[in-house]
Amino acid sequence: MQPAALEVFRTVAAYGSITAAARALRYTQSAVSRQIAALEAETGARLFDRLPRGVALTEQGRCLLGHAEAVLDRLDAARRDLAALGDLTAGRLRVGAFPTAVAALVPRALAAFRATHPGVALSLVEGLTPGLLERLSAGDADVVVVSAAPDRPLDGDRFDLHHLLDEVLLVAVPRTHRLARRRTVRLRELADDAFIAGSATAEETLLRAALPAGFRPRVDIVAAEWTGKLGCVAAGLGVALVPALAVRATPPDLALLRVHREDAAVRRVFAATLAGRTRPPAVRAFLARLDAAAAGLR
């Protein structure tokens, strides 16, 4: 049974007249009669009794009417829901991001998105890039903001990678540090300093692509969170490599030094979605907000 035929059937039942229904639907009377006859043939039941003035539902017709109204109402609801997703008056957006992207980049984009699309439900989960990509693959996120070192590119076959910015590394030192008044620093000048890192395996946690050949920082203190890392630096327990996106979370009792261009490395920051999948309207709109937020941080 085609929805158009069910709509004609419902309209004839509402008006009790084929002529009135045809007028309401802007069909010819013969077209409405043919639709009703075809529906009766398809169902194998007489749906209307033809009266001297108009028509009346039969018992079978009353039975079908309830089902027809339910089907048409569900189709109307589906159309409304699809329209709401398209114009972003409803729906959801699930975002994942690595920790330093949550310091400023992603919150700015989310705030701008919410200001223009308050009807879309937002959620944000923080994690490391490998875990975020797993969540994306599992269908637990719609878009994730991830990073990649130059020597470790992300899988462009599995993911569509929307480039946002290239993030430089800074060195955080306490205000009392001997180099605190410098604007740039060579990493070899920090060879005698202890580094605060997220793991004793410094080559991994300090973005090993940034470490010059032969440079092996001494890691005395391991702190997983940025608040802990920077707190240890502020207390004079060591220095730390800090991604530029984390600058907003940096305490005022630290000095941030640029890494000399010969040592400087960047990590590329992307918004990732699943390759080969149509991006929902909410994701497309959020990517535009991410682009604007990234431009403001460059």
Side-chain angles (χ1 to χ4, degrees):
M1 286 177 270
Q2 297 298 314
L6 293 178
E7 182 60 47
V8 168
F9 168 68
R10 181 170 68 173
T11 305
V12 172
Y15 282 93
S17 165
I18 289 177
T19 301
R23 190 180 304 116
L25 294 169
R26 297 185 178 181
Y27 291 170
T28 64
Q29 182 174 339
S30 60
V32 172
S33 295
R34 286 196 300 272
Q35 288 267 33
I36 296 302
L39 193 57
E40 288 180 328
E42 185 176 0
T43 59
R46 187 175 184 83
L47 302 176
F48 291 103
D49 286 325
R50 277 65 172 175
L51 305 176
R53 291 188 177 181
V55 295
L57 284 167
T58 64
E59 186 67 21
Q60 293 96 325
R62 282 190 290 273
C63 174
L64 179 61
L65 181 61
H67 294 293
E69 288 177 333
V71 169
L72 293 171
D73 288 346
R74 286 299 297 271
L75 286 174
D76 285 341
R79 293 186 188 99
R80 289 193 300 272
D81 288 348
L82 288 171
L85 290 175
D87 60 22
L88 298 179
T89 55
R92 68 179 183 182
L93 178 65
R94 300 167 300 165
V95 180
F98 62 93
T100 51
V102 180
L105 172 63
V106 172
R108 288 183 184 183
L110 284 173
F113 181 92
R114 174 170 281 173
T116 46
H117 308 297
V120 178
L122 298 179
S123 64
L124 171 64
V125 62
E126 181 182 292
L128 301 180
T129 290
L132 293 172
L133 293 175
E134 288 179 9
R135 291 181 68 91
L136 184 64
S137 297
D140 296 329
D142 302 307
V143 57
V144 294
V145 178
V146 294
S147 64
D151 64 336
R152 291 185 173 182
L154 300 175
D155 188 346
D157 292 329
R158 292 180 59 203
F159 306 106
D160 281 335
L161 301 172
H162 180 86
H163 181 248
L164 296 172
L165 54 85
D166 290 334
E167 182 186 33
V168 299
L169 286 177
L170 305 173
V171 179
V173 301
R175 287 288 180 186
T176 56
H177 193 275
R178 67 188 186 281
L179 301 176
R181 294 183 179 277
R182 294 267 297 275
R183 298 187 67 178
T184 62
V185 65
R186 297 297 302 267
L187 289 179
R188 64 170 177 261
E189 296 179 88
L190 301 170
D192 294 331
D193 287 89
F195 276 71
I196 314 298
S199 165
T201 311
E203 289 82 357
E204 297 296 326
T205 61
L206 297 177
L207 303 177
R208 65 189 180 94
L211 302 178
F215 182 78
R216 292 293 179 269
R218 187 180 84 249
V219 177
D220 286 350
I221 294 177
V222 173
E225 302 296 332
W226 281 107
T227 52
K229 290 187 180 76
L230 298 177
C232 289
V233 174
L237 296 174
V239 301
L241 287 176
V242 180
L245 287 176
V247 167
R248 286 177 61 88
T250 304
D253 47 358
L254 298 182
L256 292 174
L257 313 179
R258 289 187 174 274
V259 178
H260 191 276
R261 64 179 181 274
E262 293 184 18
D263 294 343
V266 298
R267 62 175 178 177
R268 309 198 75 198
V269 178
F270 300 93
T273 55
L274 285 178
R277 306 291 180 86
T278 300
R279 288 173 175 165
V283 170
R284 295 198 300 270
F286 181 62
L287 289 179
R289 303 304 186 280
L290 277 173
D291 284 335
L297 293 172
R298 291 191 184 107

